[in-house]
């Protein structure tokens, strides 16, 4: 990549990081993971006690990237039309008019998903019930741009360019094989009932690319893969109750790194 | 006796005993004392005469000699030609066995084919004989080998260091990889073995933390170079002199005495 463009991208990333760290003080690691998820075009599942800044962080992201923000309060009687929108009959025009739901926003926060019914809830794969689970969907680039400025650091077009740069971060064959070996190990681990899927593996690779990009590198190293292991695998491994992190550590320690 | 005749006389197929003036002399005496060369039948006659003098029952035999160089390994046969006609001597023993004696230089008597066990015994015997004859050299070699095995890691590190310092032309990527290999070998020498799950960057971080020095910046640059050399496809031109300087500086900072003195804890990867 052009070095000037790379410097510009890193400057934008640093600005975004600074803004988010000012909003959510003392959680630099969380902000890094959120940024990685945003750049990897992923969905973010945040689990924490009430009042510790999950909604604030979501709003801050939306403001920082000049994105539309919408929030769904997940309740037991939540219906699909509450998310997608609905068609209402206009008596004047005598036609049905579609009213967009919150899913048509750039940044969508599904708050307190543990209150929603099972069909709509983002349930942890290991069956845990958290005190509060929020689902943040960064749907940037999936709709027309509406650059509404709310103290922005980036606009959506710039964010989309950053996401394209992240997708272009190189993953060498050795690292890809390392990822495959890790995935294979999760599938034959005695304490893991169902290992990571191919889609999960691709998401893991994307997050590793984002991590490398956040560290100002244009290539992924095994360290990136390892650092993204817990965030990716903790919601994707079906195994023993409350032992996900131990299982992930076991998977990492049992798989040799390339070189 | 046959060996004595071989050493004394030479084989000359064209030469014959001259008749004039020498006829009065005994042919064998003329061959052994004067001419000292002649065709194979003279060797056979001389051998027979000497053996008879010693009291053996001897007969001169003629036949074809199977030249070893004419053996065909695929056909497993030896071709015999008219020029292979040859004379030798057979000594009759009291047991009725004919023992072949051939004093002619360049002709060997084939021994009886040995069984597998006999071959093994013969090999062992020859090995023992050779060992006894060369025991000093052998002991020195064994001692040297044992020393090399005992100091193999030090030898390996020394060889790597020599190879690293070899003034051959190398790419930056190769140089950084060799530097990393040398560092790894040094760590192994002092029992600081990198765990198989530990990424090289984390390992370098711990090495750098465990060896405080004034060259922290160079070490950090070296860490980045290692990442680049191992995982980046980018072949952007980097100043090779600068790369060599950083590698050399890193090797000096992370030197063997430093490894030996400072214990380095390398634990599981941090999450």
């Amino acid at each position: 990549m052009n070095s000037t463009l790379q410097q510009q991208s890193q400057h934008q990333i640093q600005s975004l990081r600074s803004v988010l760290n000012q909003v959510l003080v003392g959680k630099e690691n969380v902000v890094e993971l959120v940024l990685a998820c945003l750049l990897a075009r992923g969905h973010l599942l945040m689990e924490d006690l009430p009042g510790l800044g999950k909604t604030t962080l979501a709003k801050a992201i939306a403001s920082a990237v000049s994105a539309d923000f919408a929030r769904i309060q997940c309740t037991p009687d939540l219906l699909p039309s509450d998310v997608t929108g609905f068609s209402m009959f206009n008596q004047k025009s005598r036609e049905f008019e579609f009213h967009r739901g919150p899913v048509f926003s750039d940044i969508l926060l599904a708050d307190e998903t543990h209150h929603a019914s099972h069909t709509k809830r983002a349930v942890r794969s290991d069956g845990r019930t958290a005190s509060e689970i929020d689902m943040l969907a960064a749907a940037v680039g999936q709709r027309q741009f509406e650059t509404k400025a709310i103290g922005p650091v980036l606009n959506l077009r710039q964010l989309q360019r950053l996401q394209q740069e992240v997708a272009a971060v190189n993953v060498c064959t050795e690292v890809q094989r390392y990822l495959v070996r890790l995935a294979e190990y999760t599938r034959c681990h005695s304490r893991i009932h169902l290992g990571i899927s191919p889609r999960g593996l691709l998401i893991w690779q994307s997050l590793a690319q984002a991590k490398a990009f956040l560290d100002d590198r244009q290539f992924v190293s095994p360290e990136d893969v390892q650092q993204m292991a817990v965030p990716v695998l903790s919601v994707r491994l079906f195994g023993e109750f409350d032992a996900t992190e131990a299982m992930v550590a076991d998977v990492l320690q049992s798989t040799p790194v390339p070189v | 006796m046959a060996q004595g005749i071989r050493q004394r006389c030479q084989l000359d197929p064209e030469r014959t005993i001259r008749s004039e003036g020498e006829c009065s002399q005994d042919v064998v005496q003329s061959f052994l004392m004067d001419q000292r060369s002649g065709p194979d039948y003279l060797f056979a006659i001389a051998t027979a005469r000497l053996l008879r003098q010693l009291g053996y029952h001897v007969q001169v035999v003629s036949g074809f000699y199977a030249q070893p160089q004419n053996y065909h390994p695929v056909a497993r046969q030896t071709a015999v030609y008219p020029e292979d006609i040859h004379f030798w001597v057979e000594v009759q023993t009291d047991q009725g066995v004919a023992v072949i004696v051939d004093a002619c230089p360049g002709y060997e008597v084939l021994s009886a084919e040995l069984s597998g066990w006999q071959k093994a015994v013969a090999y062992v015997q020859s090995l023992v004989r050779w060992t006894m004859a060369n025991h000093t050299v052998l002991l020195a070699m064994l001692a040297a080998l044992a020393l090399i095995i005992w100091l193999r890691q030090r030898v390996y590190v020394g060889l790597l260091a020599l190879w690293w310092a070899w003034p051959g032309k190398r790419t930056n990527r190769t140089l950084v990889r060799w530097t990393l290999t040398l560092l790894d070998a040094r760590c192994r020498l002092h029992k600081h073995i990198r765990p198989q799950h530990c990424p090289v960057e984390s390992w370098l971080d711990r090495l750098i933390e465990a060896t405080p020095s004034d060259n922290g910046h160079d070490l950090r640059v070296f860490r980045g170079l290692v990442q680049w050399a191992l995982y980046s496809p980018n072949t952007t031109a980097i100043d090779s002199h600068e790369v060599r300087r950083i590698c050399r500086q890193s090797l000096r900072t992370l030197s063997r005495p430093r490894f030996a003195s400072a214990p380095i804890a390398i634990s599981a990867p941090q999450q």
Side-chain angles (χ1 to χ4, degrees):
Chain A
M1 188 173 37
N2 187 346
S3 61
T4 313
L5 190 63
Q6 194 174 342
Q7 284 176 359
Q8 187 185 349
S9 302
Q10 287 304 319
H11 178 71
Q12 290 170 345
I13 291 288
Q14 187 54 39
S15 305
L16 191 56
R17 185 184 281 137
S18 302
V19 167
L20 294 181
N21 277 321
Q22 284 170 10
V23 173
L24 195 68
V25 179
K27 291 191 174 180
E28 288 81 8
N29 291 338
V30 173
V31 169
E32 285 298 303
L33 290 175
V34 169
L35 279 176
C37 180
L38 186 69
L39 293 173
R41 304 183 68 141
H43 291 186
L44 179 67
L45 188 65
M46 292 191 286
E47 179 187 8
D48 209 342
L49 294 170
L52 293 181
K54 297 180 292 299
T55 309
T56 307
L57 181 61
K59 285 180 178 174
I61 291 171
S63 300
V65 299
S66 318
D68 286 343
F69 176 76
R71 177 176 176 277
I72 301 170
Q73 178 67 41
C74 294
T75 55
D77 57 349
L78 185 71
L79 296 173
S81 59
D82 295 335
V83 179
T84 59
F86 54 90
S87 295
M88 179 183 279
F89 185 72
N90 188 332
Q91 290 190 340
K92 284 186 179 175
S93 62
R94 303 191 68 75
E95 285 180 349
F96 279 98
E97 290 178 354
F98 183 68
H99 292 257
R100 288 176 169 187
V103 78
F104 287 91
S105 61
D106 296 322
I107 303 280
L108 171 65
L109 174 71
D111 214 351
E112 298 181 354
T113 52
H114 60 295
H115 287 154
S117 64
H118 281 283
T119 51
K120 308 178 199 69
R121 194 197 301 180
V123 182
R124 297 290 297 260
S125 56
D126 53 7
R128 276 186 281 176
T129 52
S131 60
E132 185 164 337
I133 300 175
D134 292 353
M135 186 87 179
L136 180 66
V140 173
Q142 294 176 5
R143 51 162 297 196
Q144 295 295 317
F145 294 117
E146 294 178 14
T147 52
K148 192 162 61 179
I150 312 170
V153 177
L154 303 175
N155 57 38
L156 288 179
R157 191 178 295 278
Q158 288 170 325
L159 179 59
Q160 196 176 30
R161 186 178 54 78
L162 288 177
Q163 289 173 335
Q164 288 168 352
E165 288 176 18
V166 166
V169 168
N170 183 267
V171 188
C172 68
T173 313
E174 287 85 0
V175 176
Q176 284 180 332
R177 285 185 183 147
Y178 177 54
L179 273 165
V180 171
R181 282 201 302 274
L182 287 167
E184 283 174 349
Y185 192 78
T186 64
R187 291 166 195 165
C188 57
H189 195 284
S190 59
R191 295 170 64 193
I192 300 173
H193 303 149
L194 192 61
I196 189 169
S197 64
R199 186 173 59 191
L201 195 59
L202 290 174
I203 289 170
W204 194 355
Q205 178 177 297
S206 301
L207 261 185
Q209 286 175 300
K211 176 71 177 62
F213 189 78
L214 286 171
D215 289 348
D216 196 10
R217 272 184 284 112
Q218 292 301 309
F219 52 89
V220 174
S221 75
E223 195 177 37
D224 300 322
V225 173
Q226 287 192 350
Q227 288 181 351
M228 289 296 129
V230 170
V232 175
L233 295 180
S234 57
V235 292
R236 292 181 179 277
L237 295 184
F238 287 72
E240 292 179 6
F241 178 75
D242 247 6
T244 314
E245 291 198 10
M247 286 189 294
V248 173
D250 189 28
V251 168
L252 292 181
Q253 290 189 14
S254 304
T255 311
V257 294
V259 184
Chain B
M1 190 192 66
Q3 198 172 356
I5 295 173
R6 280 189 185 205
Q7 288 174 353
R8 188 179 182 82
C9 305
Q10 290 182 340
L11 177 67
D12 187 355
E14 305 300 324
R15 188 155 190 183
T16 56
I17 300 296
R18 291 175 191 164
S19 56
E20 294 172 10
E22 295 174 357
C23 286
S24 57
Q25 224 174 2
D26 183 22
V27 174
V28 174
Q29 187 182 355
S30 172
F31 169 68
L32 288 175
M33 299 302 173
D34 301 328
Q35 289 194 185
R36 292 190 177 184
S37 66
D40 53 355
Y41 65 84
L42 283 177
F43 281 86
I45 290 168
T47 308
R49 175 77 67 80
L50 291 172
L51 285 169
R52 279 174 186 154
Q53 287 293 322
L54 293 171
Y56 290 101
H57 297 284
V58 176
Q59 58 182 356
V60 175
V61 182
S62 68
F64 288 95
Y65 179 73
Q67 297 278 0
Q69 60 266 29
N70 293 340
Y71 177 72
H72 196 281
V74 178
R76 302 182 72 180
Q77 290 177 348
T78 304
V80 176
Y81 301 98
E83 56 267 26
D84 291 332
I85 192 162
H86 183 52
F87 289 83
W88 63 92
V89 170
E90 284 183 0
V91 181
Q92 295 292 327
T93 64
D94 294 339
Q95 289 78 25
V97 178
V99 178
I100 297 171
V101 178
D102 194 345
C104 193
Y107 290 85
E108 298 296 333
V109 179
L110 292 178
S111 56
E113 190 172 352
L114 300 175
S115 65
W117 172 248
Q118 286 172 323
K119 282 181 185 174
V121 170
Y123 282 134
V124 170
Q125 284 174 342
S126 69
L127 185 66
V128 169
R129 277 197 300 275
W130 183 86
T131 307
M132 296 300 286
N134 303 286
H135 64 279
T136 312
V137 178
L138 200 65
L139 283 175
M141 286 174 65
L142 281 174
L145 189 65
L147 197 65
I148 289 172
I149 291 173
W150 187 41
L151 299 173
R152 61 188 182 281
Q153 286 188 324
R154 288 179 188 277
V155 171
Y156 178 59
V157 169
L159 289 174
L160 275 178
L162 278 176
W163 176 246
W164 189 92
W166 191 262
K169 191 177 181 183
R170 296 191 192 112
T171 61
N172 290 334
R173 196 183 294 270
T174 312
L175 184 66
V176 173
R177 279 176 174 259
W178 275 113
T179 309
L180 185 67
T181 307
L182 181 52
L183 277 177
D184 193 29
R186 281 182 181 177
C187 278
R188 285 178 182 276
L189 181 62
H190 296 288
K191 311 297 179 195
H192 304 309
I193 299 170
R194 176 163 67 105
Q196 61 169 5
H197 62 264
C198 183
V200 68
E201 308 96 304
S202 310
W203 176 66
L204 278 175
D205 283 341
R206 283 159 211 167
L207 284 184
I208 293 167
E209 283 170 16
T211 53
S213 74
D214 299 333
N215 300 315
H217 175 71
D218 282 347
L219 291 174
R220 297 282 167 197
V221 175
F222 176 69
R223 182 190 185 278
L225 281 174
V226 167
Q227 278 188 321
W228 165 79
L230 294 180
Y231 307 116
S232 173
N234 189 3
T235 54
T236 309
I238 308 173
D239 182 15
S240 59
H241 294 291
E242 180 65 8
V243 171
R244 183 168 277 274
R245 187 193 69 76
I246 288 169
C247 289
R248 185 183 294 115
Q249 198 62 42
S250 303
L251 284 176
R252 280 180 186 160
T253 309
L254 303 172
S255 60
R256 271 169 43 186
R258 215 177 268 267
F259 283 132
S261 60
I264 301 163
I266 297 176
S267 56
Q270 294 173 348
Q271 299 302 320

